[in-house]
Amino acid sequence: MNLKNYLDGARLKGNIYLALVLRLLLAMFLLSLSRIGFYLYNTKYFPEVTFGSFLYMLYGGLKFDLTTVLYFNSLIILMSIIPLDIRFNRIYQQVTRYLFFILNGIALACNVADFIYYKFTLHRTTADIFDEFSGNGPSAGNLFFRFLVDYWYASLFLVALIVLMALLYNRTKVLGPLMNNRLAYYVLGLLFIPAIAYLFIGGVRGGFRHSTRPITLSNAGEFVNNPNETSIVLNTPFSVFRTIGKNIVKKVEYFSSEQALNAEFNPIHTPKDSIPFKPQNVVIFILESFSKEFFGVYNQDKPGYKGYTPFLDSLVQHSKSFQYSFSSGRKSIDAPPSVLAGIPTFSVPFVLTTFANNNFNSIASLLNKKGYHSSFFSGQPNGAMGFTSFTSMAGFQHYYGMTEYGNNDDFDGIWGIWDEKFFAYHARMLKEFPEPFVSAMFSTTSHHPFIVPEEYEGKFKGGKQPILKCVEYTDYSLREFFRKVSKEPWYQNTLFVFTADHCSSEIIFDESRTTRGLFSIPIIFFKPDNSLASTETDIISQSDIMPSILGYLHFDQPYFAYGRDTFREKTEPMAFNFRDSYNLYVGDYLLNFDGQRPIGLYKFKSDKLLTEDVMKNNPEVVKTMATRMKGIIQQYNNRMISNKLLPE
């Protein structure tokens, strides 16, 4: 090789390998920009992030962005390193260019979609999104285009990223081949392939050491002080890739013996009651996105605030309700297993795991044995959210959805039948059911895009958050339901239960953005004879609802549930849920536990904004609560894996 040929080979301008590196760096740069956009749009959910800590998160995010970019651009990389002259062909380069735009455009679109979707789930979107929208409900495509319009500023941000990608990509020119010596050209090209493959594998795994495990979601914890902040470090395509086909539930052995484990926490309930079973009717309402902060009765400490649920507020005065009541999850699909079967959600919704086919008991299957008629109502299209399959597995004898309703004139256009219409249908059907019956109703209307029927546009004024007029409408629909059923002979012999599936993403008060506030939902037990009227200061969760109903009825057979019977059992009240870490509420304290160790302790009743971590000053409380959380996790994980969700 003469000097001229060597210099030609050493030229950087137009070098295809340099162009490839620059293009991959461009993709990483755009992911970093989208991370900044994600944080700026959701900054209110990360109140403790400082400028310095955010910069460190940006740095940490590069590891996850590199993996994402390598995954998404693996075909681009392959097309660029094959040592053939076709790489420099104009059409070949054009194909490479558009592939780059399409693949990286999809990655950016996923990230920007989480600008909006994050506030609904409070974590980066994972692979279960495909299952969540795989039924007959509103399609992801329909919702995506609706989001494009309603959240136009996020769409504009995506367009800006795509335009910037095109402008900067066009500055990376490929010329060549630049080496005149053909032997050197092919030899060096072949040698580059294993070197690039080695770098590719190291980048995807997150390191080159033999001991390095492939980088996963938990690695984001290295760059944050608060587990909730891992969503800033991660990116959405990575979160989806790393959770495809994965069950996050893994067997643990915190306790060496079953005796020690059961002494700490035991989900087997063996009722001991001298009062015989009383076969009363049960009607359960699961209200879409009904946060506790929407109720005036629960927010009397806020001057001038009257809330948006006047009917339910009036009902609470005659009901057993709770000052501290919590949901298990942040998605609609988390609620039915928790409310109806006492099975909470940890990290992955129960109905989206392989364990959804486990044998388990529910309020329906247990009361069916007592001669009950059981039914589940949801105004959504049959199959939406997996409700049809879950309720079938849970033993509900009858399912009533949009198909059974049979009148698409009352369809809201996206989610299902308007609440007022479907509640009236529920009331009509209850008249026909033989007693005793247990019936669950899942409301629909208080979903994005937060609209009410045209005839009520002026009636419900709502407030700053668009969901509030829907809350008023659903509350009015409940009033109409009770106006109808209160005249029925079965009414006085019925226990009514009200709760929410999860809190709304539309938030009014700052305290509702905390781990405590983001799970604060109503749980109300109402009996028409006012026999239950009381406001309890105990803690309760969705998982306690089924055991409590059974306790009220004096159910006399063993059953399985992760909750407690608030009517009969004297065990310590508590609640637990999951938001990037396990959260346990006992007494005055909220413990954050990462699966291995405690990472935070707060006096959640007095410190509503959870500003002061008191873990260092309360070692005994931390030890006791951490041990309890370990017992819950071990009973949950190991029983899921071994299919032991029934009394032994």
Side-chain angles (χ1 to χ4, degrees):
M1 180 187 298
N2 59 34
L3 181 61
K4 181 178 182 303
N5 289 340
Y6 176 80
L7 291 175
D8 283 342
R11 282 167 52 188
L12 293 179
K13 185 177 180 180
N15 184 284
I16 194 167
Y17 296 104
L18 177 62
L20 174 62
V21 170
L22 292 175
R23 289 167 182 175
L24 297 179
L25 289 174
L26 168 59
M28 290 187 63
F29 171 66
L30 294 172
L31 286 176
S32 290
L33 288 182
S34 67
R35 177 174 290 104
I36 294 171
F38 171 83
Y39 170 69
L40 292 177
Y41 186 79
N42 293 288
T43 182
K44 59 190 176 184
Y45 294 104
F46 308 106
E48 298 177 8
V49 173
T50 64
F51 180 71
S53 64
F54 180 65
L55 289 180
Y56 189 56
M57 291 178 206
L58 283 179
Y59 164 73
L62 294 176
K63 293 182 67 173
F64 302 90
D65 292 349
L66 177 60
T67 299
T68 300
V69 166
L70 291 175
Y71 270 134
F72 269 75
N73 292 274
S74 54
L75 180 59
I76 305 293
I77 295 170
L78 180 62
M79 292 175 67
S80 300
I81 66 173
I82 55 172
L84 299 174
D85 288 354
I86 193 175
R87 292 181 292 172
F88 307 101
N89 179 274
R90 184 180 63 83
I91 295 176
Y92 189 92
Q93 280 298 313
Q94 283 290 89
V95 170
T96 304
R97 178 173 179 263
Y98 286 113
L99 271 176
F100 183 90
F101 290 167
I102 292 170
L103 295 171
N104 292 283
I106 291 172
L108 293 172
C110 291
N111 260 351
V112 173
D114 252 357
F115 286 18
I116 312 302
Y117 196 53
Y118 175 80
K119 68 178 183 177
F120 294 94
T121 62
L122 296 179
H123 61 72
R124 287 283 186 170
T125 297
T126 51
D128 59 36
I129 189 71
F130 301 118
D131 295 312
E132 189 172 349
F133 290 101
S134 63
N136 296 326
S139 70
N142 289 340
L143 290 177
F144 176 75
F145 286 112
R146 182 77 194 216
F147 272 42
L148 285 179
V149 175
D150 290 353
Y151 300 103
W152 55 268
Y153 34 88
S155 303
L156 195 61
F157 188 89
L158 176 60
V159 170
L161 289 177
I162 299 297
V163 170
L164 182 61
M165 176 169 59
L167 290 174
L168 294 180
Y169 183 96
N170 290 338
R171 296 177 67 86
T172 61
K173 303 293 184 182
V174 171
L175 303 174
L178 298 178
M179 297 185 69
N180 293 329
N181 187 306
R182 304 305 287 174
L183 178 61
Y185 169 77
Y186 288 115
V187 170
L188 288 175
L190 290 172
L191 291 175
F192 272 135
I193 291 176
I196 292 172
Y198 175 76
L199 294 174
F200 179 91
I201 293 170
V204 166
R205 289 176 57 85
F208 294 94
R209 293 181 179 178
H210 178 72
S211 59
T212 300
R213 294 182 177 181
I215 186 173
T216 188
L217 276 66
S218 61
N219 292 98
E222 301 171 21
F223 305 97
V224 301
N225 296 317
N226 188 316
N228 304 328
E229 296 163 2
T230 56
S231 292
I232 301 175
V233 180
L234 296 167
N235 65 65
T236 304
F238 179 89
S239 297
V240 173
F241 259 91
R242 277 292 188 254
T243 54
I244 291 175
K246 299 288 179 67
N247 283 320
I248 298 178
V249 176
K250 296 181 180 179
K251 193 170 184 178
V252 294
E253 296 294 343
Y254 298 122
F255 297 83
S256 58
S257 71
E258 285 294 313
Q259 184 178 6
L261 173 60
N262 290 333
E264 188 60 46
F265 180 78
N266 190 349
I268 305 297
H269 299 253
T270 306
K272 296 178 181 179
D273 201 329
S274 59
I275 300 175
F277 177 77
K278 51 181 183 181
Q280 298 194 14
N281 307 313
V282 179
V283 175
I284 305 166
F285 281 93
I286 304 174
L287 303 174
E288 173 64 45
S289 301
F290 258 58
S291 302
K292 211 169 185 178
E293 66 173 351
F294 297 156
F295 288 67
V297 69
Y298 293 127
N299 294 279
Q300 296 178 18
D301 60 324
K302 300 173 177 64
Y305 183 73
K306 295 183 179 180
Y308 299 87
T309 59
F311 174 70
L312 283 171
D313 281 357
S314 68
L315 211 62
V316 168
Q317 311 300 325
H318 307 280
S319 305
K320 181 183 177 75
S321 64
F322 296 80
Q323 190 172 352
Y324 305 104
S325 43
F326 299 96
S327 67
S328 291
R330 289 283 305 171
K331 296 181 179 181
S332 295
I333 54 177
D334 296 329
S338 186
V339 173
L340 304 176
I343 301 175
T345 283
F346 282 164
S347 67
V348 178
F350 171 71
V351 298
L352 300 183
T353 67
T354 57
F355 311 121
N357 293 323
N358 283 1
N359 298 314
F360 61 93
N361 53 215
S362 76
I363 191 67
S365 66
L366 293 168
L367 293 183
N368 287 346
K369 297 175 183 178
K370 293 289 187 178
Y372 273 64
H373 177 284
S374 56
S375 61
F376 183 91
F377 286 74
S378 171
Q380 299 186 51
N382 293 44
M385 298 290 178
F387 291 165
T388 309
S389 58
F390 170 76
T391 54
S392 175
M393 290 285 294
F396 281 87
Q397 297 160 346
H398 303 280
Y399 184 94
Y400 297 90
M402 191 170 167
T403 300
E404 288 73 20
Y405 182 78
N407 184 0
N408 288 345
D409 290 341
D410 296 330
F411 179 44
D412 66 10
I414 298 179
W415 291 102
I417 304 300
W418 296 111
D419 280 351
E420 181 194 11
K421 302 293 186 181
F422 204 73
F423 286 6
Y425 171 64
H426 189 204
R428 292 194 302 272
M429 294 304 298
L430 289 174
K431 286 175 58 175
E432 308 298 325
F433 294 160
E435 297 184 63
F437 57 73
V438 55
S439 184
M441 158 64 78
F442 203 115
S443 76
T444 297
T445 299
S446 42
H447 265 116
H448 177 272
F450 308 124
I451 54 177
V452 297
E454 290 182 6
E455 62 264 33
Y456 291 116
E457 273 298 336
K459 181 177 177 67
F460 304 110
K461 305 297 182 181
K464 183 178 179 181
Q465 286 73 16
I467 193 177
L468 295 176
K469 64 181 179 181
C470 298
V471 171
E472 290 179 329
Y473 166 74
T474 298
D475 183 76
Y476 166 79
S477 302
L478 280 170
R479 182 188 296 273
E480 290 300 296
F481 172 87
F482 271 83
R483 185 179 61 81
K484 294 180 177 69
V485 302
S486 61
K487 303 172 185 177
E488 299 298 330
W490 54 263
Y491 176 70
Q492 292 294 332
N493 192 43
T494 302
L495 173 68
F496 294 90
V497 184
F498 301 86
T499 189
D501 57 344
H502 56 75
C503 286
S504 171
S505 61
E506 303 291 315
I507 293 172
I508 301 174
F509 305 118
D510 287 342
E511 66 197 57
S512 298
R513 304 183 196 281
T514 66
T515 296
R516 164 195 160 151
L518 289 166
F519 292 91
S520 290
I521 59 164
I523 297 179
I524 304 162
F525 297 89
F526 169 70
K527 191 71 169 48
D529 61 6
N530 291 337
S531 60
L532 299 181
S534 64
T535 300
E536 307 290 334
T537 57
D538 286 347
I539 296 169
I540 189 173
S541 76
Q542 283 177 329
S543 300
D544 299 331
I545 291 176
M546 184 189 80
S548 297
I549 294 172
L550 295 173
Y552 178 79
L553 299 177
H554 296 276
F555 189 78
D556 53 7
Q557 299 173 11
Y559 64 91
F560 184 98
Y562 288 98
R564 64 184 284 270
D565 170 4
T566 61
F567 284 96
R568 292 185 297 181
E569 292 180 351
K570 303 303 181 183
T571 53
E572 187 174 25
M574 63 179 176
F576 41 88
N577 46 45
F578 186 91
R579 182 198 174 199
D580 293 321
S581 66
Y582 298 94
N583 307 305
L584 176 64
Y585 310 75
V586 178
D588 295 331
Y589 294 98
L590 161 61
L591 178 77
N592 300 140
F593 184 78
D594 69 359
Q596 297 297 325
R597 59 186 178 86
I599 54 177
L601 183 72
Y602 302 89
K603 291 186 174 182
F604 75 93
K605 293 180 179 178
S606 56
D607 182 12
K608 293 185 178 181
L609 295 177
L610 306 185
T611 56
E612 184 181 1
D613 186 345
V614 297
M615 187 164 67
K616 291 182 180 179
N617 300 326
N618 297 274
E620 288 303 314
V621 173
V622 172
K623 181 180 178 181
T624 300
M625 291 184 67
T627 303
R628 175 69 54 81
M629 193 69 245
K630 289 178 180 178
I632 295 167
I633 295 170
Q634 184 163 331
Q635 290 282 21
Y636 185 90
N637 288 19
N638 295 7
R639 285 181 176 274
M640 284 289 173
I641 293 169
S642 59
N643 194 4
K644 292 183 178 180
L645 304 183
L646 289 173
E648 296 155 349

